Amino acid sequence: EAGVTQFPSHSVIEKGQTVTLRCDPISGHDNLYWYRRVMGKEIKFLLHFVKESKQDESGMPNNRFLAERTGGTYSTLKVQPAELEDSGVYFCASTQVGSGNTIYFGEGSWLTVV
Amino acid sequence: AQSVTQLGSHVSVSEGALVLLRCNYSSSVPPYLFWYVQYPNQGLQLLLKYTSAATLVKGINGFEAEFKKSETSFHLTKPSAHMSDAAEYFCAVTVYSSASKIIFGSGTRLSIRP
């Protein structure tokens, strides 16, 4: 069974540009999460989807970040326009209720804004 | 609300020595607790999890952790460190019986001396 997959694995963009990160959760997982770790700091929660609905978006830093999950399958996280402080690694994770609350993480998308 | 505190941002041990990484949690309801590991330039990998069953939890790569409710602790141990254990370790908490977000500690970087 495929795990959580993220694309791109690495991205380098200039300040002011737009980047879209994609996450494909484990098949059948209704719950999808975005996290990020900026410059070696702690891993911060961004938001939580249940199917296509945003259950909790309290961690989204500002309106330059837009997350979608159309159809309740894969999700995208768009940063527009990107700023230097957005550099870091963006993790996607998924889980299904009843799985013992084990949250499975992807390999991360490493974003560098220059 | 839940939170975790990891004591020591950096721990260094000799190869073959005991590894002890400390984690204390705070939760108003019974928690699920996790340890994740991030090897350099890789994603987050689940080491082990506590889900209200046995208080001593065994994970991968010889690691184990003990849930102590009276001390609100979930320390990670390994009897004998190996060079390949060098990585960053994250303690995390979530609430049982739901798929709510997981809250991470700030991480502990483990170095192994030859």
Side-chain angles (χ1 to χ4, degrees):
Chain A
E1 178 182 353
V4 178
T5 56
Q6 295 187 243
F7 181 84
S9 59
H10 292 80
S11 181
V12 180
I13 63 171
E14 293 184 350
K15 176 183 174 181
Q17 289 186 323
T18 298
V19 64
T20 300
L21 311 177
R22 172 171 169 146
C23 169
D24 286 76
I26 293 173
S27 178
H29 282 193
D30 289 337
N31 295 276
L32 185 149
Y33 309 81
W34 284 98
Y35 290 81
R36 75 171 179 175
R37 190 179 189 203
V38 175
M39 293 190 64
K41 296 185 178 178
E42 60 190 82
I43 302 168
K44 290 283 196 180
F45 166 81
L46 295 179
L47 88 159
H48 171 201
F49 283 100
V50 177
K51 296 184 179 180
E52 66 275 9
S53 299
K54 293 176 183 176
Q55 179 78 7
D56 180 354
E57 53 185 327
S58 61
M60 294 289 267
N62 52 61
N63 59 10
R64 295 188 294 104
F65 289 76
L66 175 64
E68 295 179 323
R69 192 182 183 194
T70 306
T73 54
Y74 70 91
S75 173
T76 58
L77 180 64
K78 180 189 290 187
V79 185
Q80 180 182 29
E83 299 289 345
L84 299 179
E85 63 264 26
D86 299 332
S87 296
V89 57
Y90 290 77
F91 290 108
C92 178
S94 71
T95 191
Q96 186 66 305
V97 175
S99 66
N101 272 36
T102 297
I103 299 180
Y104 299 90
F105 283 82
E107 293 290 303
S109 288
W110 303 75
L111 174 65
T112 301
V113 183
V114 297
Chain B
Q2 294 78 40
S3 66
V4 288
T5 302
Q6 291 184 242
L7 300 175
S9 59
H10 187 205
V11 171
S12 179
V13 303
S14 297
E15 190 174 18
L18 171 71
V19 174
L20 171 60
L21 304 183
R22 299 179 187 274
C23 172
N24 287 89
Y25 71 91
S26 173
S27 180
S28 56
V29 296
Y32 279 0
L33 294 159
F34 307 84
W35 277 97
Y36 284 87
V37 59
Q38 185 180 18
Y39 296 101
N41 300 315
Q42 295 187 26
L44 288 167
Q45 182 179 2
L46 179 67
L47 268 181
L48 50 81
K49 65 179 181 181
Y50 166 76
T51 57
S52 75
T55 56
L56 181 62
V57 182
K58 295 186 182 299
I60 62 172
N61 301 337
F63 284 93
E64 62 182 38
E66 185 171 8
F67 173 73
K68 291 187 176 180
K69 184 177 179 180
S70 61
E71 298 177 9
T72 61
S73 68
F74 191 58
H75 302 329
L76 181 71
T77 60
K78 182 174 180 177
S80 176
H82 191 274
M83 296 299 291
S84 61
D85 295 327
E88 193 154 15
Y89 293 78
F90 296 91
C91 184
V93 63
T94 190
V95 177
Y96 89 113
S97 77
S98 74
S100 61
K101 63 189 177 188
I102 190 171
I103 306 298
F104 285 91
S106 55
T108 298
R109 184 170 298 280
L110 176 64
S111 300
I112 311 297
R113 301 188 301 270

mmCIF file of all heavy atoms in Angstrom, chain B residues 7-25:
data_model
loop_
_atom_site.group_PDB
_atom_site.id
_atom_site.type_symbol
_atom_site.label_atom_id
_atom_site.label_comp_id
_atom_site.label_asym_id
_atom_site.label_seq_id
_atom_site.Cartn_x
_atom_site.Cartn_y
_atom_site.Cartn_z
ATOM 1 N N LEU B 7 12.814 17.809 27.039
ATOM 2 C CA LEU B 7 13.915 18.382 27.803
ATOM 3 C C LEU B 7 15.226 18.078 27.106
ATOM 4 O O LEU B 7 15.600 16.924 26.941
ATOM 5 C CB LEU B 7 13.910 17.808 29.216
ATOM 6 C CG LEU B 7 12.629 18.081 30.004
ATOM 7 C CD1 LEU B 7 12.661 17.391 31.338
ATOM 8 C CD2 LEU B 7 12.428 19.579 30.168
ATOM 9 N N GLY B 8 15.910 19.152 26.716
ATOM 10 C CA GLY B 8 17.189 18.971 26.035
ATOM 11 C C GLY B 8 17.011 19.009 24.532
ATOM 12 O O GLY B 8 16.454 18.095 23.952
ATOM 13 N N SER B 9 17.479 20.071 23.917
ATOM 14 C CA SER B 9 17.371 20.161 22.459
ATOM 15 C C SER B 9 18.439 19.314 21.776
ATOM 16 O O SER B 9 18.307 18.973 20.604
ATOM 17 C CB SER B 9 17.511 21.611 22.008
ATOM 18 O OG SER B 9 18.754 22.141 22.426
ATOM 19 N N HIS B 10 19.502 18.991 22.517
ATOM 20 C CA HIS B 10 20.591 18.202 21.955
ATOM 21 C C HIS B 10 21.113 17.248 23.014
ATOM 22 O O HIS B 10 21.446 17.667 24.130
ATOM 23 C CB HIS B 10 21.718 19.123 21.459
ATOM 24 C CG HIS B 10 22.796 18.400 20.725
ATOM 25 N ND1 HIS B 10 24.088 18.881 20.629
ATOM 26 C CD2 HIS B 10 22.789 17.227 20.055
ATOM 27 C CE1 HIS B 10 24.830 18.033 19.936
ATOM 28 N NE2 HIS B 10 24.060 17.020 19.564
ATOM 29 N N VAL B 11 21.167 15.974 22.656
ATOM 30 C CA VAL B 11 21.712 14.949 23.540
ATOM 31 C C VAL B 11 22.817 14.216 22.793
ATOM 32 O O VAL B 11 22.649 13.852 21.622
ATOM 33 C CB VAL B 11 20.619 13.955 23.977
ATOM 34 C CG1 VAL B 11 21.219 12.768 24.703
ATOM 35 C CG2 VAL B 11 19.584 14.654 24.861
ATOM 36 N N SER B 12 23.939 14.006 23.478
ATOM 37 C CA SER B 12 25.062 13.302 22.877
ATOM 38 C C SER B 12 25.446 12.127 23.767
ATOM 39 O O SER B 12 25.626 12.297 24.978
ATOM 40 C CB SER B 12 26.252 14.249 22.709
ATOM 41 O OG SER B 12 27.355 13.566 22.139
ATOM 42 N N VAL B 13 25.531 10.948 23.176
ATOM 43 C CA VAL B 13 25.926 9.752 23.922
ATOM 44 C C VAL B 13 26.986 9.003 23.137
ATOM 45 O O VAL B 13 27.108 9.176 21.916
ATOM 46 C CB VAL B 13 24.732 8.824 24.215
ATOM 47 C CG1 VAL B 13 23.634 9.557 24.970
ATOM 48 C CG2 VAL B 13 24.183 8.223 22.940
ATOM 49 N N SER B 14 27.704 8.152 23.827
ATOM 50 C CA SER B 14 28.700 7.318 23.170
ATOM 51 C C SER B 14 28.029 6.095 22.562
ATOM 52 O O SER B 14 26.995 5.624 23.055
ATOM 53 C CB SER B 14 29.774 6.875 24.162
ATOM 54 O OG SER B 14 30.471 7.989 24.674
ATOM 55 N N GLU B 15 28.609 5.606 21.494
ATOM 56 C CA GLU B 15 28.097 4.370 20.889
ATOM 57 C C GLU B 15 28.112 3.269 21.936
ATOM 58 O O GLU B 15 29.096 3.095 22.671
ATOM 59 C CB GLU B 15 28.967 3.977 19.690
ATOM 60 C CG GLU B 15 28.388 2.862 18.850
ATOM 61 C CD GLU B 15 29.200 2.598 17.591
ATOM 62 O OE1 GLU B 15 30.370 3.021 17.538
ATOM 63 O OE2 GLU B 15 28.651 1.975 16.662
ATOM 64 N N GLY B 16 26.996 2.547 22.055
ATOM 65 C CA GLY B 16 26.872 1.492 23.042
ATOM 66 C C GLY B 16 26.299 1.935 24.368
ATOM 67 O O GLY B 16 25.932 1.095 25.200
ATOM 68 N N ALA B 17 26.194 3.228 24.573
ATOM 69 C CA ALA B 17 25.646 3.747 25.822
ATOM 70 C C ALA B 17 24.125 3.813 25.766
ATOM 71 O O ALA B 17 23.517 3.728 24.706
ATOM 72 C CB ALA B 17 26.221 5.137 26.105
ATOM 73 N N LEU B 18 23.539 4.012 26.941
ATOM 74 C CA LEU B 18 22.086 4.147 27.047
ATOM 75 C C LEU B 18 21.636 5.464 26.428
ATOM 76 O O LEU B 18 22.240 6.511 26.645
ATOM 77 C CB LEU B 18 21.670 4.113 28.515
ATOM 78 C CG LEU B 18 20.212 4.462 28.832
ATOM 79 C CD1 LEU B 18 19.286 3.345 28.369
ATOM 80 C CD2 LEU B 18 20.040 4.732 30.320
ATOM 81 N N VAL B 19 20.528 5.389 25.682
ATOM 82 C CA VAL B 19 19.904 6.595 25.149
ATOM 83 C C VAL B 19 18.660 6.891 25.988
ATOM 84 O O VAL B 19 17.826 6.007 26.203
ATOM 85 C CB VAL B 19 19.481 6.419 23.681
ATOM 86 C CG1 VAL B 19 18.709 7.645 23.187
ATOM 87 C CG2 VAL B 19 20.705 6.168 22.809
ATOM 88 N N LEU B 20 18.542 8.119 26.457
ATOM 89 C CA LEU B 20 17.354 8.549 27.195
ATOM 90 C C LEU B 20 16.958 9.921 26.685
ATOM 91 O O LEU B 20 17.688 10.894 26.859
ATOM 92 C CB LEU B 20 17.631 8.611 28.694
ATOM 93 C CG LEU B 20 16.537 9.252 29.568
ATOM 94 C CD1 LEU B 20 15.219 8.494 29.441
ATOM 95 C CD2 LEU B 20 16.980 9.330 31.028
ATOM 96 N N LEU B 21 15.799 9.991 26.057
ATOM 97 C CA LEU B 21 15.263 11.259 25.582
ATOM 98 C C LEU B 21 13.973 11.528 26.363
ATOM 99 O O LEU B 21 13.079 10.696 26.383
ATOM 100 C CB LEU B 21 14.986 11.206 24.080
ATOM 101 C CG LEU B 21 16.178 10.817 23.190
ATOM 102 C CD1 LEU B 21 15.773 10.867 21.718
ATOM 103 C CD2 LEU B 21 17.383 11.685 23.446
ATOM 104 N N ARG B 22 13.917 12.707 26.955
ATOM 105 C CA ARG B 22 12.829 13.000 27.886
ATOM 106 C C ARG B 22 11.679 13.744 27.217
ATOM 107 O O ARG B 22 11.901 14.653 26.411
ATOM 108 C CB ARG B 22 13.353 13.821 29.054
ATOM 109 C CG ARG B 22 14.434 13.107 29.862
ATOM 110 C CD ARG B 22 14.954 13.962 31.004
ATOM 111 N NE ARG B 22 16.086 13.341 31.675
ATOM 112 C CZ ARG B 22 15.969 12.468 32.654
ATOM 113 N NH1 ARG B 22 14.771 12.120 33.098
ATOM 114 N NH2 ARG B 22 17.052 11.959 33.213
ATOM 115 N N CYS B 23 10.469 13.357 27.642
ATOM 116 C CA CYS B 23 9.255 13.994 27.135
ATOM 117 C C CYS B 23 8.220 14.035 28.253
ATOM 118 O O CYS B 23 7.932 13.014 28.878
ATOM 119 C CB CYS B 23 8.697 13.233 25.944
ATOM 120 S SG CYS B 23 7.077 13.808 25.381
ATOM 121 N N ASN B 24 7.691 15.208 28.510
ATOM 122 C CA ASN B 24 6.574 15.353 29.430
ATOM 123 C C ASN B 24 5.399 15.937 28.668
ATOM 124 O O ASN B 24 5.568 16.783 27.803
ATOM 125 C CB ASN B 24 6.952 16.257 30.604
ATOM 126 C CG ASN B 24 7.895 15.570 31.556
ATOM 127 O OD1 ASN B 24 9.113 15.635 31.404
ATOM 128 N ND2 ASN B 24 7.336 14.887 32.526
ATOM 129 N N TYR B 25 4.229 15.479 28.997
ATOM 130 C CA TYR B 25 3.046 15.912 28.266
ATOM 131 C C TYR B 25 2.062 16.588 29.199
ATOM 132 O O TYR B 25 2.116 16.440 30.417
ATOM 133 C CB TYR B 25 2.379 14.725 27.570
ATOM 134 C CG TYR B 25 1.700 13.783 28.533
ATOM 135 C CD1 TYR B 25 0.360 13.941 28.878
ATOM 136 C CD2 TYR B 25 2.411 12.735 29.115
ATOM 137 C CE1 TYR B 25 -0.258 13.091 29.788
ATOM 138 C CE2 TYR B 25 1.814 11.886 30.025
ATOM 139 C CZ TYR B 25 0.483 12.061 30.364
ATOM 140 O OH TYR B 25 -0.109 11.225 31.265
#
